[in-house]
Amino acid sequence: MRLNEKTKALMANKLSAAGLRVTQARLALAHLLFGQGDRHVTADALREEALAAGLKISQATVYNTLNQFHAAGLLRQVQVDQARSYFDTNIDTHHHFYVEDEARLIDIAAQEVDVTRLPDSPKGYDVDRVEVIIRLDKSPKA
Amino acid sequence: MRLNEKTKALMANKLSAAGLRVTQARLALAHLLFGQGDRHVTADALREEALAAGLKISQATVYNTLNQFHAAGLLRQVQVDQARSYFDTNIDTHHHFYVEDEARLIDIAAQEVDVTRLPDSPKGYDVDRVEVIIRLDKSPKA
DNA sequence: CAAATGTATTAGAATGATTCTAAAGTGAAT
DNA sequence: ATTCACTTTAGAATCATTCTAATACATTTG
Ligand SMILES: [Mn+2]
Ligand SMILES: [Mn+2]
Ligand SMILES: [Zn+2]
Ligand SMILES: [Zn+2]
C-alpha cells in the first residue's frame, strides 16, 4: 500500500465518520485540505490548488464540498475579511492573528491566550464560541 | 435654534474635525448614524433608514459615506458575518456578542472582558487591535 | 455676487464571491 | 446489470460592494 493510498484510506474514513459519502471529489479535496498540517484556505485558493494538482473539479464542487465539510464539523469557517471566507482545518478551540496586508491567518493555540473574564450572555442565549482575533500591522521601518 | 439644528451643528463640527467637507448627504447620514446612541448598521439598513426618513440618497453615496467615515475614524467596521459588513458608531475599544440567528451585534464594554495574556506578535508585525467576539446561540427550550 | 475649481453625488454598469438550477454522472444497494 | 439517491457540473443568477463618467454642489477667487 503506497503512502498515497494510505492517506486516501484515512480520508475515506474521515468522510465516512462524518456521515459523508466517499466520492472522488471529496477524497481529493480532503487530501489537499487534511493531508498537510493545519491550514486556512479560501475557496478560490483551494480551487487553484486542485487544478494545479491536475484534478478536474468545478468551482461549484469546491464550494459545495467546503460547505459540507463545514456543516459536518470537519472545517471551521473564519470570518476576518470583508471579501472572502476562510476555511480552517484546525477545528480545535484556538485563536488567530490576522495580517490584513497579506490576507493571512496565523493560528494561536488556545493556551496562548487567557480570557479570564467574560460578561454574562443575554437572557435566552448561550455562548457558542469565543473568538479572539488579533489584527496585525507591519511594523514601521526603523 | 431648534434641536434639529443643534444636532446638525454638532454633526457639521464632527465632519469638519475629521477633515471631511460638510455636505448635505454627509450631514443627513451623520445625523442618522450618530444622533442616537451607539449602533451597528449595515449599508443596506442605513439606506432604508435614509429612505424612510424621506432623504434622497443613492446607494453609492451610502457606501461612499460609510467608507469615508470609516477611513476618517468616525466608524469602525466589524466583520462577523460572511454576507455583510457592519459599521459600528462606537469607536472606543470594546467587544461584541454576535447573535448569528438574528444577525445582530451587541456591544460589550472593554472592562467587561479580561484578556490577561496574549502571545507575542510575529517578528515584524505589531498589534493593531484585539477583537473578542462571543458568538451566541438561542438557548434550547426548557 | 458670479465665475471657476475641485469635490461629492448619482444612476447604472461592473465586479467578485457565493449560491442556484437542472441536467448528466457516480456510488451503493438490490 | 438496474435502480435510486446522491453528487458533480456548467453556466446562470444573486447579492454586496465598487466603479464609471456625467451632473450637482461647496468653496474659493476675482
Ligand atoms: Mn452552535
Ligand atoms: Mn492600523
Ligand atoms: Zn486557525
Ligand atoms: Zn460595537
Short mmCIF file of all heavy atoms in Angstrom, two decimals, chain D residues 5-29:
data_model
loop_
_atom_site.label_atom_id
_atom_site.label_comp_id
_atom_site.label_asym_id
_atom_site.label_seq_id
_atom_site.Cartn_x
_atom_site.Cartn_y
_atom_site.Cartn_z
P DA D 5 -35.01 7.35 -4.73
OP1 DA D 5 -36.33 7.27 -4.07
OP2 DA D 5 -34.86 8.10 -5.98
"O5'" DA D 5 -33.96 7.89 -3.68
"C5'" DA D 5 -33.21 6.98 -2.88
"C4'" DA D 5 -31.82 7.54 -2.69
"O4'" DA D 5 -31.03 7.33 -3.90
"C3'" DA D 5 -31.82 9.05 -2.43
"O3'" DA D 5 -30.91 9.32 -1.37
"C2'" DA D 5 -31.37 9.65 -3.75
"C1'" DA D 5 -30.45 8.56 -4.30
N9 DA D 5 -30.33 8.56 -5.75
C8 DA D 5 -31.33 8.76 -6.67
N7 DA D 5 -30.92 8.70 -7.92
C5 DA D 5 -29.56 8.44 -7.81
C6 DA D 5 -28.55 8.27 -8.76
N6 DA D 5 -28.76 8.33 -10.08
N1 DA D 5 -27.29 8.02 -8.33
C2 DA D 5 -27.08 7.96 -7.01
N3 DA D 5 -27.95 8.10 -6.00
C4 DA D 5 -29.19 8.35 -6.47
P DC D 6 -30.72 10.73 -0.77
OP1 DC D 6 -30.73 10.56 0.69
OP2 DC D 6 -31.63 11.67 -1.45
"O5'" DC D 6 -29.23 11.12 -1.19
"C5'" DC D 6 -28.21 10.12 -1.08
"C4'" DC D 6 -27.04 10.53 -1.92
"O4'" DC D 6 -27.35 10.39 -3.32
"C3'" DC D 6 -26.63 12.00 -1.73
"O3'" DC D 6 -25.24 11.99 -1.50
"C2'" DC D 6 -27.00 12.66 -3.04
"C1'" DC D 6 -26.84 11.50 -4.02
N1 DC D 6 -27.58 11.60 -5.29
C2 DC D 6 -26.88 11.41 -6.49
O2 DC D 6 -25.67 11.16 -6.45
N3 DC D 6 -27.56 11.49 -7.66
C4 DC D 6 -28.87 11.74 -7.67
N4 DC D 6 -29.48 11.80 -8.85
C5 DC D 6 -29.61 11.94 -6.45
C6 DC D 6 -28.93 11.87 -5.29
P DT D 7 -24.38 13.30 -1.37
OP1 DT D 7 -23.25 12.99 -0.45
OP2 DT D 7 -25.27 14.45 -1.11
"O5'" DT D 7 -23.78 13.47 -2.84
"C5'" DT D 7 -23.01 12.40 -3.38
"C4'" DT D 7 -22.30 12.86 -4.63
"O4'" DT D 7 -23.23 12.97 -5.73
"C3'" DT D 7 -21.59 14.21 -4.54
"O3'" DT D 7 -20.29 14.00 -5.08
"C2'" DT D 7 -22.47 15.14 -5.37
"C1'" DT D 7 -23.07 14.19 -6.40
N1 DT D 7 -24.41 14.49 -6.96
C2 DT D 7 -24.57 14.48 -8.33
O2 DT D 7 -23.67 14.26 -9.11
N3 DT D 7 -25.86 14.73 -8.76
C4 DT D 7 -26.97 14.97 -7.98
O4 DT D 7 -28.06 15.17 -8.50
C5 DT D 7 -26.73 14.98 -6.56
C7 DT D 7 -27.86 15.24 -5.63
C6 DT D 7 -25.48 14.75 -6.12
P DT D 8 -19.21 15.17 -5.11
OP1 DT D 8 -17.89 14.50 -4.98
OP2 DT D 8 -19.64 16.24 -4.18
"O5'" DT D 8 -19.32 15.71 -6.60
"C5'" DT D 8 -19.00 14.82 -7.66
"C4'" DT D 8 -19.29 15.50 -8.98
"O4'" DT D 8 -20.72 15.71 -9.07
"C3'" DT D 8 -18.65 16.88 -9.14
"O3'" DT D 8 -17.81 16.81 -10.29
"C2'" DT D 8 -19.82 17.84 -9.29
"C1'" DT D 8 -20.96 16.92 -9.74
N1 DT D 8 -22.35 17.30 -9.37
C2 DT D 8 -23.31 17.32 -10.35
O2 DT D 8 -23.08 17.06 -11.51
N3 DT D 8 -24.58 17.65 -9.91
C4 DT D 8 -24.96 17.94 -8.62
O4 DT D 8 -26.13 18.21 -8.35
C5 DT D 8 -23.90 17.91 -7.64
C7 DT D 8 -24.20 18.23 -6.21
C6 DT D 8 -22.65 17.60 -8.06
P DT D 9 -16.91 18.07 -10.66
OP1 DT D 9 -15.76 17.58 -11.45
OP2 DT D 9 -16.71 18.91 -9.47
"O5'" DT D 9 -17.90 18.83 -11.65
"C5'" DT D 9 -18.35 18.14 -12.82
"C4'" DT D 9 -19.29 19.02 -13.60
"O4'" DT D 9 -20.57 19.07 -12.93
"C3'" DT D 9 -18.81 20.47 -13.70
"O3'" DT D 9 -18.51 20.73 -15.06
"C2'" DT D 9 -19.98 21.32 -13.22
"C1'" DT D 9 -21.14 20.34 -13.12
N1 DT D 9 -22.02 20.57 -11.96
C2 DT D 9 -23.38 20.60 -12.15
O2 DT D 9 -23.90 20.49 -13.24
N3 DT D 9 -24.12 20.80 -11.02
C4 DT D 9 -23.64 20.95 -9.73
O4 DT D 9 -24.40 21.11 -8.78
C5 DT D 9 -22.21 20.91 -9.60
C7 DT D 9 -21.55 21.07 -8.25
C6 DT D 9 -21.46 20.72 -10.71
P DA D 10 -17.50 21.83 -15.48
OP1 DA D 10 -16.43 21.18 -16.29
OP2 DA D 10 -17.15 22.64 -14.31
"O5'" DA D 10 -18.43 22.68 -16.45
"C5'" DA D 10 -19.21 22.02 -17.44
"C4'" DA D 10 -20.31 22.96 -17.91
"O4'" DA D 10 -21.33 23.06 -16.89
"C3'" DA D 10 -19.83 24.38 -18.19
"O3'" DA D 10 -20.49 24.82 -19.38
"C2'" DA D 10 -20.28 25.17 -16.95
"C1'" DA D 10 -21.51 24.40 -16.48
N9 DA D 10 -21.70 24.36 -15.02
C8 DA D 10 -20.74 24.35 -14.05
N7 DA D 10 -21.21 24.27 -12.82
C5 DA D 10 -22.58 24.23 -13.00
C6 DA D 10 -23.66 24.13 -12.09
N6 DA D 10 -23.50 24.06 -10.76
N1 DA D 10 -24.90 24.10 -12.59
C2 DA D 10 -25.06 24.17 -13.92
N3 DA D 10 -24.15 24.24 -14.89
C4 DA D 10 -22.90 24.28 -14.35
P DG D 11 -20.15 26.17 -20.02
OP1 DG D 11 -20.35 26.02 -21.47
OP2 DG D 11 -18.87 26.68 -19.48
"O5'" DG D 11 -21.34 27.03 -19.43
"C5'" DG D 11 -22.67 26.52 -19.57
"C4'" DG D 11 -23.60 27.36 -18.74
"O4'" DG D 11 -23.46 27.02 -17.34
"C3'" DG D 11 -23.32 28.87 -18.84
"O3'" DG D 11 -24.56 29.50 -19.14
"C2'" DG D 11 -22.81 29.24 -17.46
"C1'" DG D 11 -23.49 28.21 -16.59
N9 DG D 11 -22.86 27.98 -15.29
C8 DG D 11 -21.53 27.95 -14.97
N7 DG D 11 -21.32 27.74 -13.70
C5 DG D 11 -22.59 27.63 -13.15
C6 DG D 11 -23.00 27.40 -11.81
O6 DG D 11 -22.30 27.24 -10.82
N1 DG D 11 -24.38 27.36 -11.69
C2 DG D 11 -25.27 27.52 -12.73
N2 DG D 11 -26.56 27.46 -12.45
N3 DG D 11 -24.89 27.74 -13.99
C4 DG D 11 -23.54 27.78 -14.12
P DA D 12 -24.67 31.07 -19.31
OP1 DA D 12 -25.12 31.29 -20.70
OP2 DA D 12 -23.44 31.71 -18.79
"O5'" DA D 12 -25.88 31.39 -18.32
"C5'" DA D 12 -26.94 30.43 -18.22
"C4'" DA D 12 -27.75 30.72 -16.98
"O4'" DA D 12 -27.01 30.30 -15.82
"C3'" DA D 12 -28.07 32.20 -16.80
"O3'" DA D 12 -29.42 32.31 -16.36
"C2'" DA D 12 -27.06 32.65 -15.75
"C1'" DA D 12 -26.88 31.39 -14.91
N9 DA D 12 -25.57 31.26 -14.26
C8 DA D 12 -24.34 31.35 -14.85
N7 DA D 12 -23.33 31.17 -14.02
C5 DA D 12 -23.95 30.95 -12.80
C6 DA D 12 -23.44 30.70 -11.51
N6 DA D 12 -22.14 30.62 -11.23
N1 DA D 12 -24.33 30.53 -10.51
C2 DA D 12 -25.63 30.61 -10.79
N3 DA D 12 -26.24 30.84 -11.96
C4 DA D 12 -25.33 31.00 -12.94
P DA D 13 -29.98 33.77 -15.89
OP1 DA D 13 -31.44 33.73 -16.12
OP2 DA D 13 -29.13 34.84 -16.45
"O5'" DA D 13 -29.75 33.75 -14.31
"C5'" DA D 13 -30.39 32.75 -13.54
"C4'" DA D 13 -30.20 33.09 -12.08
"O4'" DA D 13 -28.81 32.90 -11.74
"C3'" DA D 13 -30.52 34.55 -11.74
"O3'" DA D 13 -31.36 34.53 -10.60
"C2'" DA D 13 -29.16 35.19 -11.49
"C1'" DA D 13 -28.33 34.00 -11.01
N9 DA D 13 -26.90 34.07 -11.25
C8 DA D 13 -26.27 34.37 -12.43
N7 DA D 13 -24.95 34.32 -12.35
C5 DA D 13 -24.70 33.98 -11.03
C6 DA D 13 -23.51 33.77 -10.31
N6 DA D 13 -22.30 33.89 -10.86
N1 DA D 13 -23.61 33.44 -9.00
C2 DA D 13 -24.85 33.32 -8.47
N3 DA D 13 -26.05 33.49 -9.04
C4 DA D 13 -25.89 33.82 -10.34
P DT D 14 -31.95 35.87 -9.97
OP1 DT D 14 -33.28 35.54 -9.45
OP2 DT D 14 -31.71 36.99 -10.92
"O5'" DT D 14 -31.01 36.10 -8.70
"C5'" DT D 14 -30.57 34.97 -7.97
"C4'" DT D 14 -29.73 35.42 -6.79
"O4'" DT D 14 -28.33 35.41 -7.16
"C3'" DT D 14 -30.04 36.83 -6.30
"O3'" DT D 14 -30.12 36.74 -4.89
"C2'" DT D 14 -28.84 37.65 -6.78
"C1'" DT D 14 -27.73 36.62 -6.76
N1 DT D 14 -26.58 36.79 -7.68
C2 DT D 14 -25.33 36.49 -7.20
O2 DT D 14 -25.12 36.12 -6.07
N3 DT D 14 -24.32 36.64 -8.11
C4 DT D 14 -24.44 37.05 -9.42
O4 DT D 14 -23.45 37.14 -10.14
C5 DT D 14 -25.78 37.35 -9.86
C7 DT D 14 -26.02 37.83 -11.25
C6 DT D 14 -26.78 37.21 -8.98
P DC D 15 -30.89 37.83 -4.02
OP1 DC D 15 -31.75 37.06 -3.09
OP2 DC D 15 -31.44 38.88 -4.91
"O5'" DC D 15 -29.72 38.49 -3.16
"C5'" DC D 15 -28.58 37.70 -2.83
"C4'" DC D 15 -27.45 38.61 -2.44
"O4'" DC D 15 -26.48 38.64 -3.53
"C3'" DC D 15 -27.86 40.07 -2.22
"O3'" DC D 15 -27.23 40.49 -1.02
"C2'" DC D 15 -27.33 40.80 -3.44
"C1'" DC D 15 -26.09 39.97 -3.77
N1 DC D 15 -25.61 40.03 -5.17
C2 DC D 15 -24.26 39.76 -5.42
O2 DC D 15 -23.52 39.48 -4.47
N3 DC D 15 -23.82 39.83 -6.69
C4 DC D 15 -24.66 40.13 -7.68
N4 DC D 15 -24.18 40.17 -8.91
C5 DC D 15 -26.04 40.41 -7.45
C6 DC D 15 -26.47 40.35 -6.18
P DA D 16 -27.54 41.88 -0.30
OP1 DA D 16 -28.13 41.62 1.02
OP2 DA D 16 -28.21 42.80 -1.25
"O5'" DA D 16 -26.06 42.39 -0.09
"C5'" DA D 16 -25.17 41.64 0.72
"C4'" DA D 16 -23.76 42.07 0.41
"O4'" DA D 16 -23.52 41.90 -1.00
"C3'" DA D 16 -23.47 43.54 0.72
"O3'" DA D 16 -22.26 43.62 1.44
"C2'" DA D 16 -23.40 44.19 -0.65
"C1'" DA D 16 -22.95 43.06 -1.55
N9 DA D 16 -23.42 43.17 -2.94
C8 DA D 16 -24.70 43.39 -3.36
N7 DA D 16 -24.82 43.44 -4.67
C5 DA D 16 -23.53 43.23 -5.14
C6 DA D 16 -23.00 43.17 -6.44
N6 DA D 16 -23.72 43.34 -7.55
N1 DA D 16 -21.67 42.95 -6.56
C2 DA D 16 -20.95 42.79 -5.44
N3 DA D 16 -21.34 42.83 -4.16
C4 DA D 16 -22.66 43.06 -4.08
P DT D 17 -21.74 45.02 2.00
OP1 DT D 17 -20.83 44.71 3.11
OP2 DT D 17 -22.87 45.94 2.19
"O5'" DT D 17 -20.86 45.55 0.78
"C5'" DT D 17 -19.75 44.78 0.36
"C4'" DT D 17 -19.19 45.33 -0.93
"O4'" DT D 17 -20.16 45.22 -1.98
"C3'" DT D 17 -18.84 46.83 -0.88
"O3'" DT D 17 -17.41 46.92 -0.92
"C2'" DT D 17 -19.51 47.42 -2.10
"C1'" DT D 17 -19.85 46.19 -2.93
N1 DT D 17 -21.02 46.33 -3.84
C2 DT D 17 -20.82 46.23 -5.20
O2 DT D 17 -19.72 46.03 -5.70
N3 DT D 17 -21.94 46.36 -5.97
C4 DT D 17 -23.23 46.59 -5.53
O4 DT D 17 -24.16 46.70 -6.32
C5 DT D 17 -23.39 46.70 -4.10
C7 DT D 17 -24.74 46.94 -3.49
C6 DT D 17 -22.28 46.56 -3.33
P DT D 18 -16.66 48.31 -1.01
OP1 DT D 18 -15.35 48.08 -0.41
OP2 DT D 18 -17.55 49.40 -0.55
"O5'" DT D 18 -16.47 48.50 -2.60
"C5'" DT D 18 -15.79 47.48 -3.31
"C4'" DT D 18 -15.71 47.89 -4.77
"O4'" DT D 18 -17.03 47.92 -5.36
"C3'" DT D 18 -15.11 49.27 -5.00
"O3'" DT D 18 -14.13 49.09 -6.02
"C2'" DT D 18 -16.29 50.11 -5.47
"C1'" DT D 18 -17.16 49.07 -6.15
N1 DT D 18 -18.62 49.33 -6.25
C2 DT D 18 -19.23 49.25 -7.47
O2 DT D 18 -18.64 49.02 -8.50
N3 DT D 18 -20.58 49.46 -7.45
C4 DT D 18 -21.38 49.72 -6.36
O4 DT D 18 -22.59 49.87 -6.47
C5 DT D 18 -20.68 49.79 -5.10
C7 DT D 18 -21.44 50.07 -3.85
C6 DT D 18 -19.35 49.60 -5.11
P DC D 19 -13.23 50.30 -6.52
OP1 DC D 19 -11.88 49.74 -6.76
OP2 DC D 19 -13.41 51.46 -5.62
"O5'" DC D 19 -13.87 50.64 -7.93
"C5'" DC D 19 -14.04 49.60 -8.87
"C4'" DC D 19 -14.72 50.14 -10.12
"O4'" DC D 19 -16.12 50.35 -9.85
"C3'" DC D 19 -14.16 51.48 -10.62
"O3'" DC D 19 -13.98 51.32 -12.02
"C2'" DC D 19 -15.25 52.47 -10.27
"C1'" DC D 19 -16.51 51.61 -10.35
N1 DC D 19 -17.68 52.03 -9.53
C2 DC D 19 -18.92 52.18 -10.16
O2 DC D 19 -19.02 52.01 -11.37
N3 DC D 19 -20.00 52.50 -9.40
C4 DC D 19 -19.87 52.67 -8.08
N4 DC D 19 -20.96 52.97 -7.37
C5 DC D 19 -18.61 52.53 -7.42
C6 DC D 19 -17.55 52.22 -8.18
P DT D 20 -13.15 52.43 -12.82
OP1 DT D 20 -12.10 51.67 -13.51
OP2 DT D 20 -12.81 53.56 -11.93
"O5'" DT D 20 -14.19 52.97 -13.91
"C5'" DT D 20 -15.43 52.30 -14.13
"C4'" DT D 20 -16.29 53.16 -15.03
"O4'" DT D 20 -17.48 53.54 -14.29
"C3'" DT D 20 -15.65 54.48 -15.48
"O3'" DT D 20 -16.19 54.82 -16.75
"C2'" DT D 20 -16.10 55.45 -14.40
"C1'" DT D 20 -17.54 54.95 -14.16
N1 DT D 20 -18.11 55.24 -12.83
C2 DT D 20 -19.47 55.42 -12.72
O2 DT D 20 -20.22 55.39 -13.67
N3 DT D 20 -19.92 55.66 -11.46
C4 DT D 20 -19.16 55.73 -10.29
O4 DT D 20 -19.68 55.94 -9.21
C5 DT D 20 -17.74 55.53 -10.48
C7 DT D 20 -16.82 55.60 -9.30
C6 DT D 20 -17.29 55.30 -11.72
P DA D 21 -15.40 55.84 -17.72
OP1 DA D 21 -14.63 54.98 -18.63
OP2 DA D 21 -14.70 56.85 -16.88
"O5'" DA D 21 -16.54 56.56 -18.55
"C5'" DA D 21 -17.92 56.44 -18.16
"C4'" DA D 21 -18.53 57.82 -17.99
"O4'" DA D 21 -18.91 57.96 -16.61
"C3'" DA D 21 -17.55 58.96 -18.24
"O3'" DA D 21 -18.18 60.21 -18.57
"C2'" DA D 21 -16.92 59.13 -16.88
"C1'" DA D 21 -18.24 59.09 -16.07
N9 DA D 21 -18.02 58.99 -14.62
C8 DA D 21 -16.85 58.97 -13.95
N7 DA D 21 -16.97 58.94 -12.65
C5 DA D 21 -18.32 58.95 -12.45
C6 DA D 21 -19.10 58.94 -11.28
N6 DA D 21 -18.56 58.91 -10.06
N1 DA D 21 -20.44 58.97 -11.42
C2 DA D 21 -20.96 59.02 -12.65
N3 DA D 21 -20.34 59.02 -13.85
C4 DA D 21 -19.00 58.98 -13.65
P DA D 22 -18.86 60.86 -19.69
OP1 DA D 22 -19.28 59.82 -20.67
OP2 DA D 22 -17.89 61.89 -20.09
"O5'" DA D 22 -20.18 61.59 -19.16
"C5'" DA D 22 -21.39 60.86 -19.07
"C4'" DA D 22 -22.29 61.53 -18.06
"O4'" DA D 22 -21.79 61.31 -16.72
"C3'" DA D 22 -22.37 63.06 -18.24
"O3'" DA D 22 -23.72 63.48 -18.11
"C2'" DA D 22 -21.51 63.58 -17.10
"C1'" DA D 22 -21.75 62.54 -16.02
N9 DA D 22 -20.68 62.47 -15.01
C8 DA D 22 -19.33 62.48 -15.22
N7 DA D 22 -18.62 62.41 -14.12
C5 DA D 22 -19.57 62.35 -13.11
C6 DA D 22 -19.47 62.27 -11.71
N6 DA D 22 -18.32 62.23 -11.05
N1 DA D 22 -20.61 62.22 -11.01
C2 DA D 22 -21.79 62.26 -11.67
N3 DA D 22 -22.01 62.34 -12.98
C4 DA D 22 -20.85 62.38 -13.65
P DT D 23 -24.04 65.08 -18.21
OP1 DT D 23 -25.24 65.19 -19.04
OP2 DT D 23 -22.80 65.82 -18.54
"O5'" DT D 23 -24.46 65.49 -16.72
"C5'" DT D 23 -25.64 64.89 -16.15
"C4'" DT D 23 -25.73 65.31 -14.71
"O4'" DT D 23 -24.49 65.00 -14.03
"C3'" DT D 23 -25.98 66.80 -14.48
"O3'" DT D 23 -27.09 66.92 -13.59
"C2'" DT D 23 -24.68 67.32 -13.88
"C1'" DT D 23 -24.14 66.07 -13.18
N1 DT D 23 -22.67 65.99 -12.98
C2 DT D 23 -22.18 65.76 -11.71
O2 DT D 23 -22.90 65.62 -10.73
N3 DT D 23 -20.80 65.69 -11.62
C4 DT D 23 -19.90 65.83 -12.65
O4 DT D 23 -18.70 65.74 -12.44
C5 DT D 23 -20.48 66.07 -13.95
C7 DT D 23 -19.58 66.23 -15.14
C6 DT D 23 -21.80 66.14 -14.06
P DA D 24 -27.54 68.34 -13.00
OP1 DA D 24 -29.00 68.27 -12.78
OP2 DA D 24 -26.93 69.40 -13.81
"O5'" DA D 24 -26.85 68.37 -11.57
"C5'" DA D 24 -27.23 67.37 -10.61
"C4'" DA D 24 -26.60 67.72 -9.28
"O4'" DA D 24 -25.17 67.59 -9.36
"C3'" DA D 24 -26.88 69.15 -8.82
"O3'" DA D 24 -27.20 69.07 -7.44
"C2'" DA D 24 -25.56 69.88 -9.08
"C1'" DA D 24 -24.55 68.77 -8.87
N9 DA D 24 -23.28 68.86 -9.59
C8 DA D 24 -23.08 69.09 -10.92
N7 DA D 24 -21.81 69.10 -11.29
C5 DA D 24 -21.13 68.87 -10.11
C6 DA D 24 -19.76 68.77 -9.81
N6 DA D 24 -18.80 68.88 -10.73
N1 DA D 24 -19.40 68.53 -8.53
C2 DA D 24 -20.38 68.42 -7.61
N3 DA D 24 -21.71 68.49 -7.77
C4 DA D 24 -22.02 68.72 -9.05
P DC D 25 -27.60 70.35 -6.60
OP1 DC D 25 -28.68 69.94 -5.67
OP2 DC D 25 -27.77 71.50 -7.52
"O5'" DC D 25 -26.30 70.59 -5.72
"C5'" DC D 25 -25.74 69.48 -5.01
"C4'" DC D 25 -24.44 69.91 -4.40
"O4'" DC D 25 -23.43 70.04 -5.42
"C3'" DC D 25 -24.52 71.27 -3.69
"O3'" DC D 25 -24.10 71.03 -2.37
"C2'" DC D 25 -23.60 72.18 -4.50
"C1'" DC D 25 -22.65 71.18 -5.15
N1 DC D 25 -22.02 71.54 -6.45
C2 DC D 25 -20.62 71.50 -6.56
O2 DC D 25 -19.95 71.18 -5.58
N3 DC D 25 -20.05 71.78 -7.76
C4 DC D 25 -20.81 72.10 -8.81
N4 DC D 25 -20.21 72.35 -9.97
C5 DC D 25 -22.24 72.15 -8.72
C6 DC D 25 -22.79 71.88 -7.53
P DA D 26 -24.15 72.10 -1.22
OP1 DA D 26 -24.65 71.45 0.01
OP2 DA D 26 -24.80 73.34 -1.74
"O5'" DA D 26 -22.60 72.39 -1.05
"C5'" DA D 26 -21.71 71.31 -0.78
"C4'" DA D 26 -20.30 71.84 -0.57
"O4'" DA D 26 -19.73 72.19 -1.85
"C3'" DA D 26 -20.23 73.10 0.30
"O3'" DA D 26 -19.10 72.95 1.14
"C2'" DA D 26 -20.09 74.23 -0.71
"C1'" DA D 26 -19.36 73.56 -1.87
N9 DA D 26 -19.69 74.03 -3.22
C8 DA D 26 -20.93 74.35 -3.70
N7 DA D 26 -20.94 74.70 -4.98
C5 DA D 26 -19.60 74.60 -5.35
C6 DA D 26 -18.95 74.82 -6.58
N6 DA D 26 -19.57 75.22 -7.69
N1 DA D 26 -17.62 74.64 -6.61
C2 DA D 26 -16.99 74.24 -5.49
N3 DA D 26 -17.50 73.98 -4.28
C4 DA D 26 -18.82 74.19 -4.28
P DT D 27 -18.61 74.21 2.06
OP1 DT D 27 -17.93 73.64 3.24
OP2 DT D 27 -19.72 75.15 2.21
"O5'" DT D 27 -17.49 74.86 1.15
"C5'" DT D 27 -16.37 74.05 0.77
"C4'" DT D 27 -15.40 74.89 -0.04
"O4'" DT D 27 -15.99 75.22 -1.32
"C3'" DT D 27 -15.01 76.22 0.61
"O3'" DT D 27 -13.60 76.32 0.54
"C2'" DT D 27 -15.73 77.27 -0.24
"C1'" DT D 27 -15.74 76.57 -1.60
N1 DT D 27 -16.78 77.00 -2.57
C2 DT D 27 -16.41 77.20 -3.87
O2 DT D 27 -15.28 77.06 -4.26
N3 DT D 27 -17.44 77.55 -4.72
C4 DT D 27 -18.76 77.73 -4.39
O4 DT D 27 -19.60 78.05 -5.24
C5 DT D 27 -19.09 77.53 -3.00
C7 DT D 27 -20.50 77.70 -2.53
C6 DT D 27 -18.09 77.17 -2.16
P DT D 28 -12.84 77.59 1.22
OP1 DT D 28 -11.79 77.02 2.09
OP2 DT D 28 -13.82 78.56 1.76
"O5'" DT D 28 -12.13 78.24 -0.05
"C5'" DT D 28 -11.49 77.38 -1.00
"C4'" DT D 28 -11.30 78.16 -2.29
"O4'" DT D 28 -12.57 78.42 -2.92
"C3'" DT D 28 -10.63 79.52 -2.07
"O3'" DT D 28 -9.48 79.58 -2.91
"C2'" DT D 28 -11.71 80.54 -2.45
"C1'" DT D 28 -12.59 79.74 -3.41
N1 DT D 28 -14.01 80.13 -3.51
C2 DT D 28 -14.53 80.41 -4.75
O2 DT D 28 -13.88 80.39 -5.77
N3 DT D 28 -15.87 80.73 -4.76
C4 DT D 28 -16.72 80.80 -3.68
O4 DT D 28 -17.90 81.08 -3.82
C5 DT D 28 -16.10 80.51 -2.39
C7 DT D 28 -16.93 80.55 -1.15
C6 DT D 28 -14.80 80.18 -2.37
P DT D 29 -8.58 80.89 -2.90
OP1 DT D 29 -7.20 80.44 -3.16
OP2 DT D 29 -8.89 81.72 -1.70
"O5'" DT D 29 -9.11 81.66 -4.19
"C5'" DT D 29 -9.28 80.94 -5.40
"C4'" DT D 29 -9.74 81.91 -6.48
"O4'" DT D 29 -11.17 82.14 -6.37
"C3'" DT D 29 -9.07 83.29 -6.38
"O3'" DT D 29 -8.67 83.68 -7.69
"C2'" DT D 29 -10.15 84.20 -5.80
"C1'" DT D 29 -11.42 83.54 -6.33
N1 DT D 29 -12.64 83.71 -5.50
C2 DT D 29 -13.84 83.93 -6.15
O2 DT D 29 -13.94 84.00 -7.35
N3 DT D 29 -14.92 84.05 -5.31
C4 DT D 29 -14.93 83.99 -3.92
O4 DT D 29 -15.98 84.10 -3.30
C5 DT D 29 -13.65 83.77 -3.32
C7 DT D 29 -13.54 83.70 -1.83
C6 DT D 29 -12.57 83.64 -4.13
#
